[in-house]
C-alpha cells in the first residue's frame, strides 16, 4: 500500500464538501455537506490506521472514504480520483462499491468546543509478527483509531477482523 498516495487522495476530502456520493442519505431530506477537518493516515507495524475528524458524518460516508483511500493505496485508483468521486455523476456507484467493511471502523470520540484533541493515533489491537491479535496496553492521553492490517503478500488491505460464516453459525477469527 502506498500511504503517500492515500494521504494525497485524502486531501480531496478536507474542507466543507458535499458528500452526497458517499452516502445513502437523501440530499432532499437533509444536508449532505460535511466539514472534514482532518484525515490522519499512519502505519503501525502491520496495521494501517486512519482517523477522520469532522463536524459530523453521514450514513456510510467514512466507510466509503476509507474504501476509496484503500483503492488508491492499492493503486486501483489514482489519488486525483478521490475528488472526482465527490461529483454527483457518481452518486452511489463507485464509492458504494469500494466501501470498507464495518469491522475495524468505529467512533473514536465525540469532541465539543473546548475539548482537547484526541492525542496520537494508535491501534486498538496489536498484531504480532505471527499475525496473532492482542489488545495493546492502555496509554494515557491517546485514543485508538480504526485499524487495518497489511496483507503479508503485499496485496489488499483487510480489516483487523473478518467475519466467517459457516452452516453452524458465525464467529470472528483473526484475519
Amino acid at each position: 500500500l502506498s500511504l503517500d498516495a492515500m494521504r494525497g487522495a485524502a486531501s480531496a476530502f478536507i474542507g466543507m464538501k458535499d458528500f452526497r456520493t458517499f452516502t445513502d442519505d437523501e440530499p432532499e431530506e437533509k444536508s449532505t455537506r460535511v466539514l472534514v477537518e482532518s484525515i490522519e493516515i499512519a502505519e503501525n507495524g502491520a496495521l494501517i490506521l486512519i482517523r477522520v475528524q469532522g463536524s459530523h458524518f453521514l450514513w456510510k460516508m467514512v466507510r466509503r472514504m476509507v474504501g476509496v483511500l484503500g483503492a488508491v493505496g492499492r493503486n486501483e485508483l489514482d489519488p486525483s480520483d478521490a475528488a472526482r468521486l465527490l461529483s454527483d455523476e457518481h452518486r452511489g456507484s463507485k464509492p458504494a462499491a469500494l466501501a470498507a467493511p464495518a469491522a475495524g471502523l468505529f467512533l473514536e470520540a465525540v469532541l465539543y468546543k473546548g475539548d482537547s484533541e484526541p492525542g496520537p493515533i494508535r491501534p486498538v489491537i496489536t498484531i504480532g509478527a505471527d499475525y496473532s491479535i492482542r489488545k495493546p496496553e492502555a496509554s494515557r492521553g491517546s485514543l485508538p483509531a480504526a485499524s487495518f492490517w497489511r496483507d503479508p503478500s503485499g496485496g489488499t488491505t483487510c480489516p483487523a477482523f473478518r467475519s466467517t460464516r459457516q452452516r453452524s453459525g458465525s464467529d470472528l477469527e483473526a484475519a
Side-chain angles (χ1 to χ4, degrees):
L1 285 175
S2 170
L3 270 59
D4 288 337
M6 291 170 71
R7 289 182 186 111
S11 67
F13 300 134
I14 304 297
M16 180 64 82
K17 307 286 174 138
D18 189 342
F19 282 91
R20 73 179 59 216
T21 58
F22 282 75
T23 184
D24 284 342
D25 287 341
E26 289 298 323
E28 295 79 32
E29 294 178 13
K30 67 179 183 180
S31 174
T32 54
R33 294 182 55 78
V34 176
L35 173 61
V36 174
E37 296 168 358
S38 68
I39 301 176
E40 293 175 70
I41 302 172
E43 190 170 16
N44 184 294
L47 297 174
I48 305 298
L49 309 172
I50 300 172
R51 175 187 283 158
V52 181
Q53 289 184 295
S55 59
H56 65 287
F57 301 106
L58 305 171
W59 185 37
K60 299 183 182 178
M61 176 185 147
V62 174
R63 287 183 57 198
R64 291 175 181 182
M65 289 170 60
V66 170
V68 167
L69 295 175
V72 168
R74 292 186 302 272
N75 205 26
E76 296 168 6
L77 290 175
D78 190 82
S80 64
D81 289 334
R84 188 178 52 79
L85 290 172
L86 284 168
S87 70
D88 199 35
E89 69 187 64
H90 293 285
R91 171 120 171 90
S93 60
K94 190 73 164 184
L98 295 170
L105 299 176
F106 60 90
L107 179 63
E108 177 183 20
V110 176
L111 303 175
Y112 295 95
K113 189 174 183 172
D115 287 349
S116 59
E117 291 296 314
I121 191 170
R122 67 174 181 84
V124 294
I125 61 169
T126 301
I127 298 182
D130 60 353
Y131 291 93
S132 61
I133 297 177
R134 343 173 254 292
K135 286 186 175 182
E137 296 295 321
S139 71
R140 294 177 194 235
S142 176
L143 295 173
S147 301
F148 290 82
W149 65 279
R150 187 182 300 237
D151 185 327
S153 67
T156 139
T157 303
C158 305
F161 290 94
R162 66 177 177 214
S163 176
T164 57
R165 292 198 166 272
Q166 301 170 344
R167 292 185 195 268
S168 61
S170 67
D171 61 336
L172 287 178
E173 68 179 19

